[in-house]
Amino acid sequence: MKGLTGRLGVGFMRVLALLPLPVLRGMGWLLGQVAFVLVAPRRRVALRNLALCFPDWTEARRRAVARASFVAFCQTWLDRSWLWAAPRSVVEQRVRLTGAVHELEGDTPTILFAPHFYGMDAGGLALPLRSGRAFTSIFATHPDPAVDAWFMAGRQRFGDVRMLNRSDGVKPIIANLRKGGLLYLLPDMDYGRNDSVFVPFYGVTAATIPSLSRFARLGRAKVVGVYSRMTPTGYVAEVSPAWANYPTDNAEADTARMNRELQAVIDTMPEQYYWVHKRFKTRPEGEPSVYSRWSISKNGLRR
């Protein structure tokens, strides 16, 4: 049954790819409004994250940003229809690459820090559309084979792209970097205690994997940010200048800096960040959960 549901869903998305972008965005707006009301567990997580990260905001502002985040989530999900099925000319028209694009030239090993803004898949296509360099990214396998195949085909439809499962290990990642490739890395989620360090994220201790620093050292790579922003006409993926003095020999300090760089971008578009994820789920030894019912009021706002 799951396989049939996945195939039907993928087929429906291919039909949606034919719709004008304003129609898709309108559908996403409506779905987001409904999801904000009905998907209470994730609404509470988003509100709790915003309360922890932005304690000086009013409750009304946090709720407005959380609601807008649900809308952006649904709109960008539906946008995968045309990102992964529309003709190349349509994607090129709607997805732009801006900023320090010259950082992608040449053959210097380069890691693209691509945090979890909802438009991250658009950014993942903008790069191979405009660069012939070998491009590697790491994603988890989706449990539904039809959906997983759709994800993999969509993300590899342009350029020389290789998708790696986390279980593939570090060796192919480093090998591609040392050959002068690009690595699209999304290390800003809570992946559990193993291999994580605890560093501040908006002043709250957060378990964070130091893979950006580690891969940069092992691959002798520079690091640039790639921040994908949804716009009324599509997406803009902005490339930052290469980070100066990165990496260092202190992985914890490097990881704290990564979070600071991320915060600066989130502040420009907080509604487009992935607040529905339990970013502070893993706590240092002895600290209680920040998501337990006793620590959250009915609006998810008690700190």
Side-chain angles (χ1 to χ4, degrees), residues 2-23:
K2 181 171 67 173
L4 176 60
T5 302
R7 290 194 296 273
L8 289 173
V10 170
F12 180 62
M13 291 294 280
R14 287 174 177 152
V15 172
L16 291 182
L18 303 174
L19 296 177
L21 183 58
V23 174

Side-chain angles (χ1 to χ4, degrees), residues 171-192:
K171 287 185 178 180
I173 298 170
I174 302 306
N176 181 71
L177 276 174
R178 290 185 175 178
K179 291 176 183 176
L182 303 173
L183 172 63
Y184 197 66
L185 190 64
L186 302 86
D188 58 314
M189 297 283 95
D190 186 334
Y191 293 107

Side-chain angles (χ1 to χ4, degrees), residues 10 13-18 79-88 90-91 125 150 154 157-158:
V10 170
M13 291 294 280
R14 287 174 177 152
V15 172
L16 291 182
L18 303 174
D79 279 350
R80 287 181 173 90
S81 63
W82 59 266
L83 281 169
W84 295 346
R88 181 182 182 123
V90 172
V91 181
L125 287 188
W150 177 60
R157 68 179 301 214
F158 302 124

Side-chain angles (χ1 to χ4, degrees), residues 171-235:
K171 287 185 178 180
I173 298 170
I174 302 306
N176 181 71
L177 276 174
R178 290 185 175 178
K179 291 176 183 176
L182 303 173
L183 172 63
Y184 197 66
L185 190 64
L186 302 86
D188 58 314
M189 297 283 95
D190 186 334
Y191 293 107
R193 192 174 304 277
N194 291 342
D195 301 321
S196 291
V197 295
F198 287 96
V199 293
F201 180 59
Y202 279 104
V204 183
T205 302
T208 311
I209 55 172
S211 57
L212 184 65
S213 175
R214 180 188 181 198
F215 292 164
R217 287 198 311 275
L218 293 176
R220 298 186 284 274
K222 67 179 181 181
V223 171
V224 302
V226 178
Y227 309 119
S228 301
R229 185 186 305 267
M230 182 175 62
T231 70
T233 58
Y235 294 88

